[in-house]
Amino acid sequence: MELTGADILVRCLQDEGIKHIFGYPGGAALHIYDALYKQDVVKHVLVRHEQGATHAADGYARATGKPGTVLVTSGPGVTNTVTGIATAYMDSIPMVVFSAQVSTAVIGDDAFQEVDAIGITRPCVKHNFLVKDVRDLAVTIKKAFYIATTGRPGPVLVDVPKDVTAAITEYEYPERIDMRSYSPSSRGHPKQIARAAELLLSAKRPIIYTGGGIVMGKAHQELTALVKHLGYPCTNTLMGLGGFPGDDPLFIGMLGMHGTYEANMSMHECDVMLCIGARFDDRITGDVKKFSPFARIIHIDIDPATIGKVVSAEIPIVGQAGAVLKELLAAIKRSDRTPDSEALKTWWKQIDDWRAVKSLEYDRKNTKVIKPQYVIEKLYELTGGDAYVTSDVGQHQMWAAQYYKFTEPMRWINSGGLGTMGFGLPAAMGVKMALPDATVACVTGEASILMCIQELATCKQYDLPIKIINLNNRYLGMVRQWQEFFYDRRYSHSYMDALPDFVKMAESFGHRGVLIDNPADVEGALKEVLADKDNLYFMDFITDQKENVYPMIAAGKGHHEMALQPGSLVDDSVTERELA
């Protein structure tokens, strides 16, 4: 069967099982758009900005585990995707981006809307391709999806010149692909797994620390089985929330810069740490020199480059999280040893003492101003935890992570590594497109939401009734918090004094808007909005301008040096120990 390059690209998407592609047309991409028009298997979603396309595809991938796909034109079309590609790259999200390119004959001549897409995206993709011959197109696309979805997932860009999309060749899509230079490991080394089992069983103060690799690796069941069998405390990173049930007694909360007191203190005091699918990000470790000074570390990750990059591991294990955890649990069950029950009992007594500090408490008695934490608590209560929650980046993101208990994976959709403002709304679109019957809430702030606000038009065109929870404190909230703590309250350009009327703005896009400025109205407004399954609502909550995110580990501090809510009582003897 002979097809044009454009028809081949679309046929490859069909054969790959792709149902949705997010994009924006332009001259160099028109052959591809014409091919999309002639079929109805792959649904194209017209966004209002190419950055929105990448974030929507990203949200789609995070909620389903399937690769998100993007189609943009050359020049500014592809440069507008870079932030979204980098967002996916930092969080290991599978995505394939198709960028149209000027014809091969004029590449390098500074032709109209020409940029070096390969050079620009190289630092923030897992791999990229420039296809110069239509005969290479199908196999290149197969490679792109294979690379994006295997090993440590990530975005792959395929740059396709316009003349390649017009050329004709015989179509054949490979059923499978073998790449000599790319062969990711899946199963861990048996001897290393046996060593890890024995070290875990010898622990007096163990902790299990997991990241996004558990979620994207779909290893939550294996993790839960291991934690339940051992009875050890489990903590998640921001990206790992939902990998272990957030309402389970063995869960001690999120760790890191804004993690719970009990999670951070447990990390500091542990003697054996099992790290799975996490990369010891600086927001997790604090000052690396002070990080977990007593711990012997087991590190499981699909990416060998991650192991030992920041923190040395005594037992490194390269492999897919689910497969390794399954083998690890089997090794533990075969062992003659069992966990030290007395030591574990003492350890849990210490953790419960740290829990008693109640590090996530806030002023609940204030009835004059809406506390942002209260809004998230009510959102969790009214959805019963059965919602997909996207967020932008800032204080609202941290409050959502702290107060919404994620009991299942792939329900918490946020930009962790890059910290991209503007991510929340288009990501929610992608989730809703993938899961039309799900409740999808976007938790955002008045600054972040304006970054990609044009996507409200996309929501209207495709009838995507998401619920936008805007925690409006009229500041760049996290910037203001840092300026308060570290810059002697010099609030340089963090005050938002030219905001739109968000209710009228939402209505101008054809949606519904609600203004809530009284704490007594929070629950009723949320209940009413969540009950309406047919309309997008923009809920503008006017919140306390001076509220800060606690706990907090400042730069240069360790896990045992957290700043807690003013007025918190902590026994210093609990938080300090001579380092041996």
Side-chain angles (χ1 to χ4, degrees):
M1 184 190 309
E2 289 195 337
L3 299 173
T4 67
D7 288 324
I8 286 172
L9 192 155
V10 174
R11 181 67 180 271
C12 289
L13 294 176
Q14 294 174 353
D15 289 347
E16 197 64 38
I18 301 302
K19 301 300 182 185
H20 296 89
I21 188 166
F22 302 86
Y24 201 96
L30 287 183
H31 291 327
I32 305 171
Y33 272 89
D34 192 50
L36 283 169
Y37 182 85
K38 294 182 289 187
Q39 56 84 56
D40 57 5
V41 176
V42 180
K43 183 175 182 180
H44 180 275
V45 180
L46 176 66
V47 297
R48 298 314 190 259
H49 190 284
E50 290 89 351
Q51 181 178 341
T54 53
H55 293 331
D58 188 323
Y60 188 102
R62 293 184 200 234
T64 64
K66 300 175 183 178
T69 51
V70 176
L71 173 60
V72 296
T73 194
S74 63
V78 69
T79 59
N80 281 345
T81 69
V82 172
T83 296
I85 292 172
T87 300
Y89 180 71
M90 288 288 282
D91 290 345
S92 305
I93 305 303
M95 180 189 298
V96 176
V97 178
F98 296 97
S99 58
Q101 182 57 278
V102 299
S103 294
T104 54
V106 294
I107 289 178
D109 291 348
D110 294 332
F112 177 66
Q113 289 192 334
E114 179 194 359
V115 298
D116 179 7
I118 298 299
I120 287 171
T121 61
R122 184 173 288 117
C124 61
V125 293
K126 189 174 177 183
H127 197 65
N128 56 22
F129 299 92
L130 171 61
V131 183
K132 293 185 176 181
D133 189 324
V134 69
R135 291 170 294 182
D136 298 329
L137 184 57
V139 69
T140 300
I141 292 173
K142 185 67 177 182
K143 287 179 180 179
F145 279 102
Y146 175 63
I147 294 170
T149 56
T150 56
R152 180 180 177 177
V156 176
L157 179 130
V158 182
D159 202 32
V160 189
K162 188 170 185 178
D163 59 316
V164 172
T165 63
I168 296 175
T169 193
E170 191 171 311
Y171 176 70
E172 182 179 356
Y173 194 60
E175 290 187 10
R176 59 188 303 273
I177 203 84
D178 288 314
M179 300 177 67
R180 188 174 61 181
S181 60
Y182 176 71
S183 181
S185 300
S186 59
R187 299 186 65 179
H189 194 284
K191 288 185 178 180
Q192 292 294 82
I193 292 173
R195 287 182 62 205
E198 291 304 304
L199 181 55
L200 275 172
L201 291 170
S202 73
K204 305 293 184 184
R205 302 186 306 277
I207 192 167
I208 297 175
Y209 146 52
T210 74
I214 289 289
V215 175
M216 293 311 297
K218 298 181 181 178
H220 55 286
Q221 292 179 341
E222 291 84 354
L223 172 65
T224 302
L226 177 70
V227 174
K228 295 279 191 180
H229 179 80
L230 291 170
Y232 289 178
C234 181
T235 181
N236 296 153
T237 67
L238 178 71
M239 294 302 303
L241 292 175
F244 185 79
D247 59 354
D248 192 284
L250 297 177
F251 183 64
I252 57 175
M254 181 179 73
L255 80 157
M257 176 174 280
H258 296 295
T260 65
Y261 187 63
E262 54 268 31
N264 284 333
M265 287 303 302
S266 297
M267 286 289 281
H268 184 72
E269 297 288 338
C270 73
D271 68 341
V272 173
M273 178 194 306
L274 173 60
C275 171
I276 314 151
R279 54 190 177 87
F280 294 95
D281 176 80
D282 61 288
R283 288 299 194 263
I284 293 301
T285 63
D287 184 349
V288 176
K289 295 178 182 178
K290 300 177 181 179
F291 177 72
S292 299
F294 316 108
R296 301 173 69 185
I297 298 174
I298 306 161
H299 191 177
I300 302 169
D301 205 283
I302 191 68
D303 182 6
T306 296
I307 300 178
K309 184 176 182 180
V310 177
V311 174
S312 296
E314 181 175 332
I315 303 178
I317 303 174
V318 178
Q320 198 276 335
V324 174
L325 287 177
K326 190 173 182 179
E327 293 176 12
L328 180 58
L329 180 56
I332 288 170
K333 289 179 176 179
R334 287 194 304 267
S335 176
D336 294 333
R337 303 185 67 166
T338 57
D340 186 332
S341 58
E342 286 303 313
L344 192 57
K345 184 178 179 180
T346 301
W347 181 227
W348 272 111
K349 172 64 169 61
Q350 176 64 90
I351 293 172
D352 287 340
D353 287 345
W354 290 327
R355 273 177 167 165
V357 170
K358 296 184 178 181
S359 60
L360 296 184
E361 277 300 306
Y362 61 93
D363 182 9
R364 299 172 184 274
K365 297 179 181 179
N366 192 326
T367 59
K368 296 181 180 180
V369 63
I370 296 174
K371 292 292 183 178
Q373 303 96 319
Y374 177 70
V375 178
I376 302 299
E377 285 183 328
K378 285 299 173 184
L379 178 65
Y380 170 70
E381 179 184 317
L382 293 171
T383 59
D386 186 23
Y388 289 78
V389 180
T390 74
S391 86
D392 277 294
V393 171
Q395 288 180 315
H396 59 271
Q397 177 191 27
M398 294 299 105
W399 285 317
Q402 289 175 330
Y403 294 94
Y404 197 100
K405 297 178 182 179
F406 295 95
T407 58
E408 297 179 42
M410 297 183 172
R411 294 300 187 99
W412 170 232
I413 316 291
N414 82 119
S415 170
L418 196 65
T420 306
M421 294 173 68
F423 174 85
L425 175 57
M429 295 183 340
V431 176
K432 193 66 176 176
M433 189 64 70
L435 305 166
D437 296 328
T439 298
V440 181
C442 170
V443 176
T444 186
E446 75 290 342
S448 284
I449 193 66
L450 290 174
M451 291 274 186
C452 286
I453 196 66
Q454 71 280 347
E455 300 307 333
L456 283 176
T458 307
C459 292
K460 183 62 178 178
Q461 179 172 344
Y462 295 96
D463 190 22
L464 303 174
I466 63 178
K467 314 305 179 189
I468 299 171
I469 313 297
N470 187 40
L471 302 181
N472 186 346
N473 62 8
R474 289 82 73 208
Y475 269 107
L476 298 175
M478 193 60 85
V479 173
R480 184 207 59 76
Q481 178 168 333
W482 279 57
Q483 288 172 335
E484 177 185 337
F485 290 174
F486 309 120
Y487 296 90
D488 198 25
R489 292 182 168 83
R490 293 186 295 274
Y491 299 123
S492 176
H493 300 280
S494 56
Y495 180 63
M496 304 289 287
D497 58 357
L499 292 170
D501 182 325
F502 285 109
V503 170
K504 290 181 179 178
M505 182 196 66
E507 291 173 347
S508 74
F509 278 96
H511 304 300
R512 301 188 180 186
V514 183
L515 176 66
I516 307 98
D517 57 8
N518 187 334
D521 297 333
V522 170
E523 181 173 2
L526 279 168
K527 189 177 295 184
E528 182 177 342
V529 165
L530 290 169
D532 188 339
K533 306 298 183 183
D534 300 322
N535 294 288
L536 182 150
Y537 279 83
F538 193 113
M539 304 188 75
D540 191 17
F541 291 92
I542 307 303
T543 62
D544 188 346
Q545 284 189 288
K546 298 180 180 180
E547 193 69 18
N548 290 321
V549 180
Y550 290 102
M552 181 175 180
I553 302 175
K557 300 294 184 179
H559 281 130
H560 62 305
E561 299 172 306
M562 284 165 283
L564 302 180
Q565 282 276 9
S568 294
L569 298 177
V570 179
D571 182 353
D572 288 340
S573 66
V574 172
T575 63
E576 296 180 4
R577 175 188 288 194
E578 183 177 350
L579 303 185

